[in-house]
Amino acid sequence: MASSDWSKAVEDQEKRLSAGMKRVQLGAPRTAPKTGEATPSAQPSAGDWCDEVDSGPEGEEEGDKPTTAAEASLLNKLLHDGLVKAKVSVEVQQKDPNSPLYSVKSFEQLRLSRELLDGIYGMGFNTPSKIQETALPALIADPPCNMIAQSQSGTGKTAAFVLALLHRVDKTNMWPQVLILSPTYELAVQTGDVISEMARFIPEIKIMLAIKGKKPERGQMIAEQIVVGTPGTVLDFLTRRRCLDPNRIRVFVLDEADIMINVQNFQDHSVRVQRQLKPDCQMMLFSATYSDEVMSFAKRIIPDPIVIRLKKEDETLDNIRQYYTICQKEEEKFVALSNIYGVVTIGQAIVFCYTRKSASALCEKMKNDGHAVALLTGELTLEDRATILTRFRDGKEKLLITTNVCARGIDVEQVTVVFNFDIPVDVYRQPDFETYLHRIGRTGRFGKSGLAINFVDGIRSREYLKRIEDHFGKKIRELRTDDIDEVEKLNEE
Ligand code: ADP
């Protein structure tokens, strides 16, 4: 937006607000900050207008923390039941940079057994996903090579390693040949299910789950060819029960390494399991994220790996229409939201609030207004968050009210509108450009066009938004939400 447009908007807003405004006097004592909760005295009362209660952390409330990358991975894993198609580029580092890099465009090119191909096609896979195109030729090549592969959740990593390990298993040998470590009980079960499904036409292949509550009879060796389990139980099978012979393991997989490193003892247990295996055992590690911490763990546990990284193309705001609407106070924001929500054809929408408290207050109001609304805030357990997000993904609720806990990494394809009920600011009370990008990036995913509407409730938040606009160099237009015709126009664009 040209700065003259902004000055005009500022001027107009000043006029519109002036009637009900009562500026707090300079030097008026501020309420002492209180973590995570708003003090009632710090809230604006009807008709009050003051910089001190402008959008964001003006010392009164602390915003909700964003979900960690590992938590986002796990949530996405639980959310996806189809391949995620994001724009990506592949980056490979290999031991021998002179050796040509193979990549395949069809499963047939991999020369897999007929039964395995039938299993893959039976799952509805027609062509390899991006990560599979690059990883599979290396994973099934002889001699076997070790691999570290990173790509976002839902891109086909599990299917890739399951295919590779099924290719390696000798179904005539009744002892464990493949060992897979998963960070949680649920993920181990989920991986076991994928193996069973892909090996549907190879009934001789059996799977043992090494998870809490499952143990072989005392003194009995495991006969299943594939063992999937959590690190502690697998370590117990290897060292205490001795029901698993590490010398016969030909393939070792460490799945969801980023989640693994966040669980106490798991790094240690995984390293202890890996040390028992023979040096010629093929080792693979998969992770949805690529932090220094994950990579140093990965390199510690996987010797001489080929490293494959699928990098998501940078998120942009190109296919997102951005608006701001001026509200005088909290109540007006609610009215504006209701007006837009009632008029705009919304697939699904997310509303971002700054604090848990404001999110839950808004949720109550929307519910009282008869809307089916989901509320997701940071105090919930990962399981509860997964349940709420799954319901939202399945369309049981069309509106999700949340905080920064959902700002990054969680993909729900149907989201077409994002509302910034509060403009994102960082701990230094500066506009948080990255969080803005991540929040707005919840819409317009997978090439679809999206709509972002920002609620401006004071001079400070207006200034924040102006800086956000300058930062990204993308116009944020004004939307008069009291003018239904104007709101309706959003449907036409
Ligand atoms: P990740 O391990 O990276 O999270 P998954 O292997 O679990 O990804 O795959 C995500 C989803 O995509 C699953 O539902 C899986 O069945 C499906 N999928 C995986 N590979 C393919 C493929 N080549 N074609 C179609 N669907 C696939």
Side-chain angles (χ1 to χ4, degrees), residues 325-336:
T325 182
I326 293 170
C327 306
Q328 208 183 115
K329 49 185 188 282
E330 211 64 17
E331 186 56 33
E332 238 182 52
K333 287 191 191 178
F334 167 68
V335 173

Side-chain angles (χ1 to χ4, degrees), residues 77 81-83 107 125 127-129 132 152-159:
K77 188 100 200 155
D81 53 7
L83 201 58
F107 289 115
F125 300 1
T127 50
S129 70
Q132 291 162 2
Q152 77 177 100
S153 244
T155 49
K157 297 185 296 297
T158 309

